[in-house]
Amino acid sequence: PGPEAGYAACQDASPRAVQQGNIGAGTGATVGKALGSSRLCKGGLGSSSITLANGLVVAALAVVNAFGNITDPATGQVIAGVRNLDESGCFCGFLDAVSLMVEGPRPEFTNTNTTLGVVATNGRLSKVDVTKVAQMAHDGLARTIRPVHTGIDGDVVFALSCGDVESNVDIVGVLAADMLAQAVLNAVRAANDAYGIPCAAHCVT
């Protein structure tokens, strides 16, 4: 994609709910790549937002194409990643991506991993504040992706302020991390549910 694609996306913007899963920038995205393409799960595009009583909105959009596994921080459960398959091809849970990195050969797909995040608020923030929000939002990636921020991942978070609601940078930053974590989970769940790849224990053929 180039400038023309960005311009077309702005022209197509609407108040409709963002489609999530293996769509748009999330098309072809995958996660859990330590053992190659036969064991990975789908990644994708996800979004999440929150509106406070004072009208402050904090929203996040994530494109999840990570080397590592995806974990729900609320439960500690891996929901997508390196699939453990038995001899008959049945799904037996997920393998730990970090252990595979430490114990195994050089990871595959070394140039095809990235998680892209955008967090936005209608709160009034300075340029310095917005930078802080982007930094804090990375916590959302760290809560959900393991490993993250590696040399074989191109992880990045952008932040923007486009409103005039009275706001506090720390509140916006904390919520940005929460929303980005939820956007990662939404992306992966929507993608794998649509394609029948297990985020729960059932047989894969």
Side-chain angles (χ1 to χ4, degrees):
E4 298 81 8
Y7 191 84
C10 291
Q11 287 184 311
D12 289 341
S14 79
R16 297 190 306 271
V18 176
Q19 289 184 278
Q20 303 186 72
N22 230 221
I23 192 169
T27 302
T30 53
V31 300
K33 302 170 188 174
L35 291 181
S37 59
S38 65
R39 301 292 190 94
L40 52 71
C41 286
K42 290 284 187 180
L45 181 148
S47 66
S48 184
S49 68
I50 186 171
T51 303
L52 302 188
N54 67 349
L56 178 70
V57 178
V58 179
L61 187 76
V63 177
V64 187
N65 186 45
F67 172 82
N69 289 356
I70 310 301
T71 299
D72 185 342
T75 64
Q77 179 184 10
V78 176
I79 64 168
V82 186
R83 291 180 292 146
N84 185 16
L85 306 179
D86 65 17
E87 293 180 357
S88 64
C90 267
F91 173 67
C92 304
F94 295 102
L95 299 171
D96 181 59
V98 172
S99 295
L100 292 170
M101 285 184 73
V102 172
E103 299 167 3
R106 189 170 186 267
E108 297 188 35
F109 301 100
T110 55
N111 297 315
T112 58
N113 311 300
T114 187
T115 299
L116 309 175
V118 179
V119 293
T121 181
N122 63 351
R124 184 171 66 251
L125 297 174
S126 69
K127 184 175 181 179
V128 172
D129 288 342
V130 171
T131 299
K132 183 63 175 177
V133 168
Q135 292 171 343
M136 294 177 71
H138 272 280
D139 292 349
L141 302 185
R143 294 173 197 164
T144 53
I145 304 171
R146 185 174 184 271
V148 71
H149 298 133
T150 72
I152 54 174
D153 285 282
D155 302 329
V156 64
V157 176
F158 300 93
L160 60 98
S161 167
C162 55
D164 202 35
V165 176
E166 190 69 31
S167 59
N168 174 283
V169 62
D170 291 329
I171 293 173
V172 174
V174 168
L175 294 176
D178 288 347
M179 293 305 101
L180 190 54
Q182 189 59 55
V184 169
L185 299 180
N186 290 348
V188 170
R189 285 183 169 131
N192 288 288
D193 286 350
Y195 283 83
I197 297 176
C199 287
H202 61 79
C203 189
V204 179
T205 55

